[in-house]
Amino acid sequence: MMGRRDHVTEPAELAANLSRFFKRLEDHAAGDPANLVLIDELMEDLRRTKLRAIARAARSAKEGGDYTLGEIVAILGIRKQSVHELIQKGRALLEAQRQRLGVVSLRERRRERLEAAGVPDRRAS
């Protein structure tokens, strides 16, 4: 028996699906304007998602990723200074997300446990 292959959703396919969902949400909001608040929440989620993605892309660029910071600036079509401002906002959101999820404290506990055991950390956290 052959194993099942996982379906990989392409970014364009994901965006098209989201656009269809947004159209349905538009229909619901038109029928019941109280649902407009849901659109506001989604807009804010998308804004934060973009900022976190920019910060992560910049980190990848710094670490030798596929795109340079200059290319990211060109893709966004804004000034380099503006991208740096977006990167800072995105980093703050990522840090807040890590704090909420307890990633920082987990990393600290891991470091303390290794140190107490006298075992060197063999991988970057």
Side-chain angles (χ1 to χ4, degrees), residues 14 33 37 39 45 67 75 80 87 109 114:
L14 179 60
V37 71
I39 295 172
D45 283 344
Y67 295 92
I75 289 167
K80 191 172 183 179
I87 290 168
R109 286 197 299 259
L114 287 172

Side-chain angles (χ1 to χ4, degrees), residues 107-123 125:
R107 284 182 179 160
E108 182 62 23
R109 286 197 299 259
R110 177 180 180 274
R111 186 194 61 73
E112 289 171 356
R113 180 73 59 92
L114 287 172
E115 190 175 287
V119 176
D121 192 351
R122 293 188 178 92
R123 58 168 230 227
S125 305

Side-chain angles (χ1 to χ4, degrees), residues 3 6 17-20 36-37 41 45-46 50 57 63 65 70 72 88 92 94 98 106 109 114 120 125:
D6 289 333
N17 286 333
L18 286 171
S19 290
R20 284 189 284 278
L36 290 168
V37 71
E41 292 295 321
D45 283 344
L46 283 171
K50 182 178 180 179
E63 295 170 355
I72 294 168
Q88 291 305 315
L94 285 170
R98 288 184 187 108
L106 289 172
R109 286 197 299 259
L114 287 172
S125 305

Side-chain angles (χ1 to χ4, degrees), residues 11-93:
E13 182 181 349
L14 179 60
N17 286 333
L18 286 171
S19 290
R20 284 189 284 278
F21 285 121
F22 291 155
K23 175 62 177 126
R24 292 297 302 140
L25 185 57
E26 175 188 334
D27 295 342
H28 285 284
D32 180 359
N35 288 320
L36 290 168
V37 71
L38 302 174
I39 295 172
D40 289 340
E41 292 295 321
L42 286 171
M43 287 172 55
E44 182 58 22
D45 283 344
L46 283 171
R47 184 191 71 78
R48 288 188 303 257
T49 297
K50 182 178 180 179
L51 290 172
R52 287 190 306 263
I54 290 169
R56 292 174 60 200
R59 182 178 60 219
S60 178
K62 184 178 179 182
E63 295 170 355
D66 292 336
Y67 295 92
T68 66
L69 187 57
E71 290 169 327
I72 294 168
V73 168
I75 289 167
L76 292 171
I78 59 178
R79 295 175 302 125
K80 191 172 183 179
Q81 179 181 347
S82 297
V83 170
H84 282 289
E85 291 170 9
L86 295 175
I87 290 168
Q88 291 305 315
K89 290 177 183 179
R91 284 181 181 157
L93 287 171

Side-chain angles (χ1 to χ4, degrees), residues 3-18:
R4 191 180 120 205
R5 292 175 61 182
D6 289 333
H7 175 74
V8 176
T9 304
E10 296 294 328
E13 182 181 349
L14 179 60
N17 286 333
L18 286 171

